[in-house]
Amino acid sequence: AQSVSQHNHHVILSEAASLELGCNYSYGGTVNLFWYVQYPGQHLQLLLKYFSGDPLVKGIKGFEAEFIKSKFSFNLRKPSVQWSDTAEYFCAVNADSGAGSYQLTFGKGTKLSVIP
Amino acid sequence: EPEVTQTPSHQVTQMGQEVILRCVPISNHLYFYWYRQILGQKVEFLVSFYNNEISEKSEIFDDQFSVERPDGSNFTLKIRSTKLEDSAMYFCASGDGPTNTGELFFGEGSRLTVL
């Protein structure tokens, strides 16, 4: 079974600071990787995803993530955060469990607070 | 843009009562899921549903839980006899499955409070 670790529970940054949120997964086979964001009081929204190809993936709102297969990592980055980026960020792994349902396994989430 | 809708947004119930949470998945999706998030904890998989049957379930999804797609559009989660520890945000999701490499689209969640 796959598992996902997110290293930071809560990150506090000032506006314009650079962001990097760590994510490591464990799974021996081919995986699809996702970052979801949950703004306060809202549902989970997809930020970006990696299926194959270029390991540097660009998502919405200026976010990007790099898949490093040798490190089993998929860290999320943004060069300059804004107050509106305040949210909780979830890394997730999706692999065919054999039942064809492709369930997502989430990390515990990292809460990002951006101070104006 | 198509979206997953869930009702109710918030339900308060007494311990031991039955609760039904409703979801309308995106219309052309074939795979349906329920996840839950206990306050302060991670999002946890409960169950997946395909072709009118459960395809996979977690150890959380015990005999108190059931899912149903009663009319081809709704996808429901029933908790027969709620416990205090069932208090959580319940998210419905739908996806194309392997044809779309497993991306899931989530509803806004139903917050369940068990007193």
Side-chain angles (χ1 to χ4, degrees):
Chain A
Q2 61 264 31
S3 66
V4 179
S5 298
Q6 291 183 243
H7 316 301
N8 310 102
H9 178 62
H10 191 186
V11 172
I12 302 172
L13 294 173
S14 298
E15 274 193 316
S18 65
L19 169 72
E20 180 159 2
L21 301 182
C23 172
N24 286 90
Y25 68 94
S26 67
Y27 184 71
T30 302
V31 294
N32 302 318
L33 296 156
F34 304 81
W35 277 97
Y36 281 85
V37 61
Q38 188 177 26
Y39 297 103
Q42 295 188 28
H43 63 289
L44 290 161
Q45 300 172 42
L46 183 69
L47 263 184
L48 48 78
K49 59 191 178 188
Y50 172 80
F51 296 147
S52 63
D54 188 344
L56 185 61
V57 179
K58 294 193 184 300
I60 61 171
K61 305 185 180 185
F63 286 90
E64 64 179 32
E66 185 175 11
F67 171 52
I68 303 179
K69 189 175 181 180
S70 60
K71 295 184 178 179
F72 296 89
S73 70
F74 190 56
N75 292 353
L76 180 71
R77 299 194 293 248
K78 185 171 183 178
S80 176
V81 295
Q82 301 170 313
W83 176 80
S84 57
D85 294 324
T86 294
E88 191 150 16
Y89 293 81
F90 294 90
C91 182
V93 167
N94 185 317
D96 185 359
S97 59
S101 66
Y102 276 77
Q103 62 158 294
L104 276 176
T105 300
F106 285 87
K108 288 188 175 182
T110 298
K111 188 174 180 181
L112 173 65
S113 299
V114 180
I115 302 168
Chain B
E1 184 179 325
E3 58 181 23
V4 176
T5 57
Q6 289 185 241
T7 53
S9 57
H10 189 190
Q11 181 157 357
V12 181
T13 190
Q14 295 289 326
M15 191 169 56
Q17 294 297 303
E18 176 182 283
V19 160
I20 297 176
L21 305 178
R22 292 182 169 80
C23 168
V24 180
I26 293 172
S27 61
N28 62 343
H29 284 179
L30 301 176
Y31 292 80
F32 314 111
Y33 306 80
W34 283 101
Y35 286 78
R36 80 171 184 190
Q37 185 181 25
I38 295 171
L39 188 64
Q41 299 186 26
K42 67 178 180 180
V43 178
E44 301 173 291
F45 169 77
L46 290 179
V47 66
S48 59
F49 192 87
Y50 170 70
N51 199 26
N52 283 320
E53 60 182 23
I54 290 173
S55 49
E56 196 163 6
K57 60 184 180 180
S58 71
E59 59 269 19
I60 302 169
F61 194 88
D62 61 22
D63 292 344
Q64 294 298 315
F65 291 89
S66 63
V67 289
E68 196 176 32
R69 190 158 159 80
D71 57 12
S73 62
N74 289 285
F75 178 52
T76 62
L77 174 70
K78 182 193 288 186
I79 309 174
R80 288 191 186 84
S81 178
T82 49
K83 303 188 282 276
L84 294 175
E85 54 265 37
D86 294 327
S87 294
M89 181 74 91
Y90 288 81
F91 292 103
C92 175
S94 70
D96 289 350
T99 60
N100 195 31
T101 57
E103 179 179 348
L104 300 188
F105 297 81
F106 286 84
E108 293 199 355
S110 293
R111 181 173 297 284
L112 175 64
T113 302
V114 182
L115 303 176

